[in-house]
Amino acid sequence: RVSTGLYADDGRTTPIQGDISCEVLDVENVYFGDPNLDSIQDQPYILIAQRRGVEDIKREARKNKRPEYEVQSILPDGETDYMAGERSRNEPPESQKATVLTKFWKDYSPDGTGYVIKAVRVCRKAVIRPEWELGIRLYPFAKMTWERRRGCVYGESEITYLIPNQIAINRMITASVWAVMMMGMPIMVVNSDIVTTDVTNDPGQIIPVCGGMDDVAAAIRYVNPPGFSPAFDQNIASLIGNTLKQSGANDVVLGDVRPDNTSAILAVRETATIPLIYIQNRFYSFLEDVARIWAEFWVTHYGKRRVKIRDELGTWYLPFDGERYRELVISARVDVGASTLWNDEQTITTLDGLFDRKIIDAAQYLSRLPKGSVPELNRLLNEIRRRKAENSDSE
């Protein structure tokens, strides 16, 4: 229970506790009941695998009033084969962790018209938390799919189609580096019948040779490296550039340009981001799912409380009663405008022009400056407003 610092009554006798905490889950540790269903809310059940400390698990089990013999059966294990991350298999033994499984499922009413979300948490030999009802009507999960894949809830990764290009680039760079090394440090062939000492290739080393002048010429030689075209590096750069271009990541999107001509930069950016529009819309859909889940928690768990609102009017508190909105169909929509690529210098230049033309006053100018450019900005704004009020009163 998180303390909010707010109270449900004016007498400040009923503190309001509880907040929403989000966690990013590794997709490898999320197991869907039907991986062929794209919708999370249509899943029959969802399993979450986590690696947690044994003492933490025991503490939660005691909190849920589990028998002591069951608590003591919670022991560390090495079940890390299916956990996300390559370093998970090298987990230090002293970390004392065990795998915890949490199952979420829908429990339908006998007539099949309604359901509630339930969950249970277990480890290898113990039930950490017995079956409980979450009190919400949605699975508390939302997923962001980079690219949809028909008949697969996991979708397709961003790098799936980039792997062949990356392998080709790595091989070409390796060949380029090897060719340069061969030209700078070619392979040495030594006739051991003529050269009887070790050859270290150190500068100034004296190598005794047994034989005449012909033997000296045949004692040591270098293997000529294969021919290397200067255009090879250009091919590497071309392949990298084409890969970035097809992915929609050009210099404008990556921020590697100077914003001198803003109109041209915005036009180029709009063209470059066309391949990313569908991915962007899927990200917005993911945020909308998160908003609906938050709203579900608000109407089912928040009860009566005051919600802090920050807007152009300042900070104020809105009386909220979740019971009033529980039966409403809540929809959410993400509406995002295009961000500017102008830096602080360009912003200040634009504000200077507006201020010189007297389109904005001093307070409007200062309030729109980049953050941190003016020390004690709020104090300065208050002084300007106070001076303006004094002048208006004197008039």
Side-chain angles (χ1 to χ4, degrees):
R1 291 181 174 272
V2 179
S3 177
T4 62
L6 302 177
Y7 294 85
D9 58 336
D10 295 333
R12 300 174 66 87
T13 58
T14 308
I16 297 175
Q17 294 181 333
D19 203 352
I20 299 175
S21 177
C22 297
E23 180 181 358
V24 179
L25 300 175
D26 293 306
V27 69
E28 297 93 331
N29 300 335
V30 180
Y31 305 92
F32 296 99
D34 188 350
N36 299 121
L37 284 176
D38 182 66
S39 174
I40 286 184
Q41 300 304 326
D42 293 335
Q43 294 292 329
Y45 65 86
I46 300 175
L47 284 174
I48 306 297
Q50 296 172 298
R51 295 289 294 175
R52 294 174 52 187
V54 170
E55 293 302 322
D56 183 32
I57 301 173
K58 290 182 178 180
R59 191 181 306 112
E60 182 179 356
R62 292 191 178 98
K63 179 181 177 181
N64 294 311
K65 298 180 174 55
R66 304 305 301 164
E68 188 61 27
Y69 74 88
E70 195 170 9
V71 174
Q72 296 303 324
S73 65
I74 302 175
L75 301 174
D77 59 48
E79 298 176 357
T80 59
D81 293 340
Y82 298 100
M83 302 303 293
E86 297 178 356
R87 303 297 297 177
S88 62
R89 300 183 182 181
N90 300 326
E91 188 177 273
E94 60 271 14
S95 62
Q96 298 289 303
K97 290 185 177 182
T99 299
V100 176
L101 297 178
T102 306
K103 181 181 179 180
F104 299 83
W105 73 95
K106 294 181 179 180
D107 189 6
Y108 287 87
S109 58
D111 57 0
T113 57
Y115 62 87
V116 294
I117 304 295
K118 290 188 176 182
V120 64
R121 182 168 295 145
V122 300
C123 61
R124 173 182 281 185
K125 296 181 179 180
V127 176
I128 302 171
R129 183 174 181 179
E131 177 182 318
W132 84 94
E133 184 177 333
L134 273 66
I136 57 178
R137 297 159 294 184
L138 297 175
Y139 282 126
F141 300 100
K143 68 180 179 72
M144 161 59 188
T145 303
W146 184 265
E147 190 166 331
R148 294 189 63 181
R149 183 179 179 183
R150 185 181 297 274
C152 181
V153 67
Y154 295 101
E156 201 67 79
S157 170
E158 174 189 4
I159 64 172
T160 299
Y161 304 109
L162 300 179
I163 291 176
N165 285 34
Q166 189 62 56
I167 292 176
I169 292 171
N170 292 345
R171 288 179 175 176
M172 294 175 70
I173 293 177
T174 302
S176 176
V177 173
W178 177 80
V180 173
M181 292 178 61
M182 285 292 295
M183 287 188 290
M185 296 175 291
I187 297 176
M188 179 185 296
V189 178
V190 181
N191 189 341
S192 60
D193 293 335
I194 300 175
V195 180
T196 57
T197 59
D198 294 335
V199 180
T200 61
N201 206 26
D202 291 334
Q205 180 186 9
I206 298 175
I207 303 174
V209 177
C210 300
M213 293 297 296
D214 295 337
D215 295 327
V216 172
I220 297 177
R221 68 181 183 88
Y222 291 97
V223 177
N224 293 327
F228 180 72
S229 173
F232 194 73
D233 289 335
Q234 298 178 6
N235 293 334
I236 299 176
S238 176
L239 181 56
I240 294 175
N242 289 334
T243 302
L244 291 174
K245 181 179 179 180
Q246 295 300 323
S247 301
N250 61 5
D251 292 340
V252 178
V253 177
L254 297 177
D256 295 335
V257 296
R258 289 181 56 84
D260 297 329
N261 188 344
T262 55
S263 299
I265 289 175
L266 291 176
V268 174
R269 186 190 67 169
E270 293 297 329
T271 304
T273 54
I274 289 177
L276 302 177
I277 289 178
Y278 294 106
I279 300 169
Q280 175 181 282
N281 291 338
R282 282 192 286 271
F283 179 67
Y284 293 163
S285 177
F286 160 74
L287 295 180
E288 291 169 357
D289 291 340
V290 173
R292 280 189 286 269
I293 293 171
W294 285 4
E296 181 69 15
F297 276 102
W298 294 341
V299 300
T300 57
H301 287 73
Y302 266 36
K304 295 182 179 181
R305 64 170 63 195
R306 295 177 181 178
V307 180
K308 182 185 290 187
I309 305 295
R310 289 192 182 98
D311 54 16
E312 63 275 2
L313 301 177
T315 302
W316 54 283
Y317 293 88
L318 172 69
F320 179 82
D321 186 0
E323 290 287 345
R324 297 179 56 187
Y325 309 99
R326 185 164 297 181
E327 300 303 325
L328 294 180
V329 178
I330 299 176
S331 62
R333 177 182 177 183
V334 175
D335 191 6
V336 181
S339 62
T340 62
L341 298 179
W342 305 322
N343 55 13
D344 293 347
E345 181 181 356
Q346 183 67 30
T347 301
I348 294 174
T349 302
T350 304
L351 290 174
D352 289 341
L354 295 174
F355 183 73
D356 293 339
R357 296 183 182 91
K358 297 183 180 181
I359 299 175
I360 59 176
D361 57 18
Q364 293 172 329
Y365 175 86
L366 292 173
S367 62
R368 286 165 174 79
L369 284 174
K371 186 177 181 180
S373 58
V374 178
E376 298 184 2
L377 178 60
N378 292 331
R379 181 179 176 183
L380 181 59
L381 289 172
N382 292 333
E383 292 175 357
I384 294 175
R385 295 189 182 102
R386 185 168 58 252
R387 189 185 310 119
K388 184 183 295 185
E390 292 174 355
N391 294 335
S392 59
D393 294 339
S394 61
E395 295 175 357

